[in-house]
Amino acid sequence: MAVENLFPSIGTLAQQADDAEDVDKDENAIDASEEDEGRVVQEIESFCVNCEKQGITRLLLTHIPYFHEVIVMSFRCEHCGSSNNEIQSAGVIRPEGVIYTARILSRQDLNRQIVKSETCTVTIPEYELTIPASKGQLTTVEGIIQDVIRDLSYDQPLRRIQDEDTFIKIKALIDKLKAIISDEDEDGEGSAVLKEAASSEAPMPPFTLKLDDPAGNSFIEFVESMADPKWNLRTYRRTKEQNVTLGLVASDDLVVGEGGNSTEIGPTDDDNEEIYIFPGVCSSCGHPLDTMMKKIAIPYFKDILIMSTNCDRCGYRDNEVKSGTAISEKGKRITLRVEDREDLSRDVLKSETAGLTIPEIELVLQAGTLGGRFTTLEGILEQVYEELSEKVFAAGDSVGSANPDGPDFQEHNKFESFLKKLKEVKNAERPFTLILDDPLANSYVQNLYAPDPDPNMEIELYDRTWEQNEGLGLNDMKVEGYEQGEDGGS
């Protein structure tokens, strides 16, 4: 049987359920096996851990559009009333982890559907709220908020007696979350339609919802298409610890090979390269931390220094790339014509002195923006999108309540349109040109045809102007005879 038949879409299942209601339930002439095969929801007797009697587990195999196959499970015991709902992925573990980011600016955004797997972590940065990985769920953004309010409120009476400080902090968080959903029915009976309309127009504090799933089996619904400016998807390579947690690799560092010989796993090409560690102080929380630095040679380019700073206490992170060689005599301008997704995988080194331009969408990043970065073309465009989207959506609530004909509202719409174009570029849905201009020639774009010339890339060397040398501090730099004074004396 084809996979599509085993996992029909939710709409198909809903239509089948409606058709099944028209069939007389008292007809017993149908064979039991054929009846079970035609059911939309499969029912299985299961053991209830609460009362130790038999309950019913219902299974629904379905396919979520733009995602993949899932199994929705619901258990209920008629004897004690115990119930449980869960969702599991019916597909394989994805090659890469995923991070979904959704900007929740209005109450309509609370209706976005969410598939949360058992390995997914949910984060709301504005409230410093992190929901650790737990059972899988098929829910909405509003459902996630309601679950958090319910779980935090459960032990509040006990906390009020045992730990009043914790009680006050959690109560403040609960009050903030309740201001988002505003679903309490204090008026008793009334029109549900009118209440829903009033609720959708009521102001709501904007926030960001992030789903981080190393297995890649979670999902947030987008609006209309993947070009939704409020929605973003980023993939990443799993760490060794994440692979161990998912059961993809062994937890120890040794693997027993054939003949009983132990072999150490992991790369060994860089064993002779030393990583330098410099103790310092975190600029965010002030606690001691270490900055690690390593020298890396890029083929057909030059040596670079990669520096990384991570604070285990507050989570502050910073990465920087510096040139490990002398200052070039000329500047360099790299022009790359990007035509498909394969070009997005090119390695890109953008130094802190390089400017980045994409003429097709009028994107211009001045020198110093984003600092030094060694990543892929997709990675640097992803970072540009995240930085700009955070700024434009940070004031989403105030702009949303402004005059639609006012300059602030129109400027906001222009920026949203620009972000949609940037997302199309980031996903290689349209061809574009990338221009990397570095007066110190410390930037690099990978040549897929090296050592032969790349037909889609042009590299131009040029003489720096006096103004550029002045901005870089080269006009006053003295590299010969610097140990002597201006008068020639010592």
Side-chain angles (χ1 to χ4, degrees), residues 85-363:
N85 300 306
E86 189 173 348
I87 184 173
Q88 288 187 359
S89 172
V92 298
I93 296 178
R94 303 297 171 176
E96 296 179 316
V98 296
I99 295 180
Y100 287 93
T101 304
R103 313 287 179 180
I104 311 301
L105 304 182
S106 63
R107 300 199 181 277
Q108 287 80 4
D109 292 329
L110 296 177
N111 298 324
R112 293 177 184 253
Q113 291 186 347
I114 292 179
V115 178
K116 175 182 171 293
S117 75
E118 62 274 10
T119 59
C120 177
T121 301
V122 182
T123 306
I124 303 180
E126 288 80 358
Y127 300 136
E128 299 182 357
L129 176 64
T130 300
I131 306 173
S134 57
K135 68 176 183 178
Q137 285 182 292
L138 177 58
T139 180
T140 61
V141 176
E142 184 176 4
I144 291 286
I145 301 298
Q146 289 176 338
D147 290 344
V148 173
I149 294 176
R150 184 195 65 232
D151 294 341
L152 292 179
S153 302
Y154 186 75
D155 291 331
Q156 277 295 84
L158 186 61
R159 294 191 190 99
R160 189 168 191 172
I161 300 174
Q162 295 181 346
D163 191 349
E164 188 174 358
D165 291 339
T166 303
F167 166 81
I168 295 175
K169 293 179 181 179
I170 294 181
K171 185 178 184 301
L173 176 59
I174 293 176
D175 293 340
K176 293 178 181 178
L177 296 178
K178 285 184 177 180
I180 295 175
I181 56 177
S182 299
D183 61 343
E184 296 181 354
D185 190 357
E186 298 178 354
D187 299 332
E189 298 181 355
S191 173
V193 177
L194 292 177
K195 289 182 179 179
E196 183 179 355
S199 176
S200 63
E201 296 176 359
M204 185 200 74
F207 63 95
T208 305
L209 187 73
K210 292 186 177 182
L211 266 63
D212 187 350
D213 188 358
N217 289 327
S218 297
F219 178 73
I220 296 181
E221 180 187 10
F222 50 78
V223 177
E224 294 181 355
S225 69
M226 296 181 68
D228 180 7
K230 301 179 185 178
W231 180 92
N232 190 42
L233 165 64
R234 179 168 64 89
T235 60
Y236 63 90
R237 293 183 179 179
R238 286 187 291 266
T239 63
K240 181 182 176 182
E241 291 76 11
Q242 290 174 328
N243 285 326
V244 171
T245 303
L246 295 175
L248 300 179
V249 298
S251 58
D252 53 355
D253 293 333
L254 297 178
V255 177
V256 180
E258 297 181 359
N261 296 325
S262 297
T263 305
E264 183 176 357
I265 63 175
T268 58
D269 296 341
D270 299 332
D271 289 345
N272 57 343
E273 296 187 17
E274 186 175 0
I275 298 178
Y276 299 93
I277 300 178
F278 302 93
V281 177
C282 178
S283 59
S284 178
C285 65
H287 287 89
L289 53 72
D290 293 332
T291 296
M292 293 178 288
M293 183 178 71
K294 184 176 181 179
K295 186 177 182 180
I296 294 180
I298 299 180
Y300 307 104
F301 189 53
K302 59 177 69 172
D303 294 341
I304 63 171
L305 299 176
I306 296 181
M307 295 176 290
S308 175
T309 302
N310 297 320
C311 181
D312 296 333
R313 290 181 176 267
C314 67
Y316 172 78
R317 300 178 60 185
D318 182 62
N319 300 294
E320 192 73 18
V321 179
K322 300 286 186 180
S323 172
T325 57
I327 297 176
S328 302
E329 295 182 358
K330 295 186 176 183
K332 178 188 292 186
R333 185 180 295 107
I334 304 174
T335 303
L336 174 66
R337 294 183 297 275
V338 180
E339 299 175 349
D340 51 37
R341 290 194 62 86
E342 185 179 357
D343 290 324
L344 297 180
S345 62
R346 293 175 184 255
D347 290 333
V348 174
L349 170 62
K350 176 194 170 300
S351 74
E352 65 276 9
T353 58
L356 187 148
T357 306
I358 301 179
E360 287 80 0
I361 61 174
E362 300 181 355
L363 173 65

